[in-house]
Amino acid sequence: MTEPTTAPRRVSLVTLGCARNETDSEELAGRLDAAGWELSDDSPDVVVVNTCGFVESAKKDSIDTLLAASDTGAKVVAVGCLAERYGTQLADQLPEADAVLGFDAYASLPESLARVLGGEQLPSHTPGDRRKLLPISPVERAAAVEPGAIDIGLPGHAGGPTVVRRRLDDSPVAPLKLASGCDRRCSFCAIPSFRGAFVSRRPSDVLAEARWLAQHGVRELVLVSENSTSYGKDLGDLRLLETLLPELAALEGIDRVRLSYLQPAEMRPGLVEVLTGTPGVAPYFDMSFQHSSASVLRRMRRFGDTDRFLDLLAQIRAGDPTAAVRSNVIVGFPGETEADVVELERFLVAARLDAVGVFGYSDEDGTEAETLPDHLPQDVVDARVARISELVEELTSQRAEERCGEVVDVLVDSVVDGVAEGRTAGQAPEVDGSTTIVGADLRVGDLVRARIVGSEGVDLVAELLAVPALA
């Protein structure tokens, strides 16, 4: 008599938000795959939504996605930043979710999903201030992440260099997490409260995962964290990033290493030198200035001003005149005056940035800025967003035009109807413009040399200079 077979349980993973969530999802996929779950969007038994809780629009998108998943008939489980930040409150307001789990549940997610599928009601995550979960001194923090230490809810961090990850696409570009958490206390930002204190991954773990990614077809690594310039400080060496970047760039199969999420106040000459002078490391600076008026920045609990930021940009371009810089700015912050806006405009005009995200200020639950006086009327905030956005659109288009004639290496990440599109060293996936290569028969994953011949907004158009000999 033939024994009955049990069909594999199916789970669909939906990822929202930033590249840091993408790495978390691929680690969760690795754990689920190892436990015998089949990853599939076709009639899944469970849908896991890795939510984003950064700004109001992201929260709404996360809730809408959870509601849509509940219409499929599958069990729905919320994880990620929104689940971590709101936990029981989210569960109470969204009964459509069968479970709301925090970061600490990641290591046991396969078992939790099995229990949900079996009809068990799991306790919802109880939020807490994660900044209080780790010791403060560098020595204590380093000890806290040694093999055998307690699980502190940082996926893939503890337990040595074993890689727990499964790729969810075949892109030649992949994010790689450097660290989790943030020790800065920007008055508008809630991230440290639910992502926790800053903890660096050990270089051996980062290198092991990078080698694994290279073996799985990745040619560009995008290093992500909440604040990459702090990497190594909790391990007792704030210059650790300057030694790790060349090691990553030297790995077999890796052609480009891109560093993201830099804090302008923590930039240092040695790091600028490595980013502008190391073969294989992209001369790319993702620095969120947030504003340039000194008075606004102080209320934000940040440092710098227009002239200091321009000096930093001059140092970068002295190292590599072609270096690309992207940033974000917040307008309409409580107490912002017309003079502050004019100062921001002065900075933007002089800075010649390649890409700029413009955000209107809005209160975030539990932040200091929420309690500040002199909040601006929404119509004033909206008008300033439109004003700065229009300026930024004009300036970044001009910056793209200035790049005509440059010779660049383009990593092809999509080919649609014979049209190849990719990214130069100055263009990060998702957040920046792209480069279209005309008159060439290329494949995804090709790395080719081309000359920029035109631009459309922030996007570039290039002509192939050589066959994919770099592939």
Side-chain angles (χ1 to χ4, degrees):
M1 180 176 177
T2 304
E3 291 292 328
T5 58
T6 302
R9 298 162 295 183
R10 290 186 173 184
V11 57
S12 173
L13 269 171
V14 180
T15 306
L16 304 173
C18 66
R20 285 157 291 189
N21 267 12
E22 292 179 28
T23 63
D24 286 355
S25 285
E26 292 200 346
E27 191 235 338
L28 294 176
R31 293 184 184 278
L32 290 164
D33 184 58
W37 285 80
E38 178 185 342
L39 275 77
S40 175
D41 295 329
D42 183 19
S43 301
D45 300 297
V46 184
V47 177
V48 176
V49 181
N50 190 353
T51 61
C52 178
F54 181 44
V55 293
E56 200 60 38
S57 59
K59 297 174 192 175
K60 182 180 184 304
D61 190 26
S62 293
I63 291 172
D64 289 346
T65 303
L66 288 164
L67 289 171
S70 69
D71 291 337
T72 66
K75 297 288 187 179
V76 178
V77 175
V79 299
C81 292
L82 192 72
E84 174 66 33
R85 185 175 179 184
Y86 293 102
T88 51
Q89 180 183 345
L90 177 64
D92 290 342
Q93 295 180 1
L94 197 72
E96 292 84 355
D98 295 281
V100 175
L101 306 177
F103 296 150
D104 289 331
Y106 282 11
S108 59
L109 186 66
E111 294 84 353
S112 295
L113 296 192
R115 292 165 63 189
V116 168
L117 196 56
E120 187 173 342
Q121 184 71 41
L122 301 185
S124 297
H125 167 65
T126 302
D129 190 339
R130 296 191 69 86
R131 291 170 293 190
K132 301 175 182 178
L133 296 184
L134 284 176
I136 299 303
S137 77
V139 173
E140 289 175 310
R141 285 198 197 178
V145 295
E146 287 301 309
I150 60 170
D151 185 349
I152 56 174
L154 298 173
H157 192 91
T162 300
V163 176
V164 181
R165 182 168 179 173
R166 171 176 166 170
R167 299 218 62 203
L168 294 175
D169 60 38
D170 56 0
S171 170
V173 182
L176 174 58
K177 188 179 291 185
L178 273 178
S180 289
C182 184
D183 287 342
R184 303 194 71 88
R185 295 295 180 263
C186 300
S187 63
F188 56 84
C189 184
I191 289 175
S193 66
F194 59 86
R195 276 291 184 182
F198 186 89
V199 180
S200 302
R201 296 183 68 194
R202 291 168 298 189
S204 58
D205 291 346
V206 176
L207 286 163
E209 190 168 332
R211 291 189 189 95
W212 182 89
L213 288 168
Q215 292 166 3
H216 287 75
V218 171
R219 302 191 70 172
E220 177 180 325
L221 303 172
V222 181
L223 306 181
V224 299
S225 74
E226 277 71 30
N227 178 11
S228 297
T229 36
S230 283
Y231 181 75
K233 71 174 186 178
D234 53 318
L235 300 178
D237 184 359
L238 190 54
R239 302 296 185 269
L240 203 54
L241 192 56
E242 284 89 313
T243 58
L244 179 60
L245 286 169
E247 290 184 76
L248 289 167
L251 292 176
E252 183 179 355
I254 298 300
D255 295 290
R256 182 185 291 158
V257 178
R258 185 186 306 279
L259 187 61
S260 60
Y261 305 111
L262 305 176
Q263 166 60 247
E266 295 183 19
M267 289 299 297
R268 46 196 182 268
L271 182 55
V272 171
E273 183 178 346
V274 168
L275 287 169
T276 58
T278 306
V281 175
Y284 176 83
F285 293 79
D286 174 15
M287 297 188 293
S288 290
F289 292 109
Q290 304 298 3
H291 213 282
S292 72
S293 165
S295 59
V296 173
L297 287 167
R298 298 308 172 269
R299 288 194 294 277
M300 289 180 170
R301 293 204 179 276
R302 294 174 69 89
F303 301 93
D305 55 42
T306 294
D307 293 330
R308 291 183 188 180
F309 292 160
L310 292 177
D311 286 344
L312 173 57
L313 293 172
Q315 294 172 31
I316 290 169
R317 288 164 179 153
D320 186 343
T322 69
V325 184
R326 84 167 323 275
S327 192
N328 296 309
V329 296
I330 298 173
V331 294
F333 194 78
E336 181 189 63
T337 65
E338 172 64 20
D340 294 326
V341 180
V342 171
E343 182 67 1
L344 176 59
E345 289 173 328
R346 180 172 83 89
F347 168 69
L348 292 170
V349 169
R352 297 169 53 240
L353 303 176
D354 293 87
V356 184
V358 181
F359 298 91
Y361 172 79
S362 62
D363 285 334
E364 277 295 307
D365 296 339
T367 61
E368 180 185 354
E370 189 180 25
T371 67
L372 290 177
D374 303 321
H375 274 55
L376 301 179
Q378 190 60 49
D379 62 332
V380 174
V381 176
D382 293 343
R384 291 180 179 178
V385 169
R387 170 180 166 183
I388 297 299
S389 295
E390 183 178 359
L391 175 63
V392 160
E393 184 176 351
E394 178 183 353
L395 293 172
T396 53
S397 294
Q398 291 174 0
R399 179 62 173 153
E401 290 175 7
E402 291 173 4
R403 291 195 176 277
C404 288
E406 285 186 15
V407 174
V408 293
D409 291 335
V410 182
L411 180 59
V412 178
D413 55 18
S414 73
V415 178
V416 179
D417 296 330
V419 178
E421 187 177 286
R423 304 291 183 278
T424 69
Q427 297 170 319
E430 307 296 336
V431 295
D432 296 327
S434 62
T435 298
T436 299
I437 304 174
V438 298
D441 183 16
L442 299 172
R443 299 168 301 171
V444 171
D446 284 343
L447 180 65
V448 298
R449 189 147 294 163
R451 186 185 307 278
I452 299 172
V453 295
S455 63
E456 299 175 4
V458 296
D459 297 321
L460 303 173
V461 180
E463 291 182 346
L464 193 67
L465 289 183
V467 295
L470 300 175

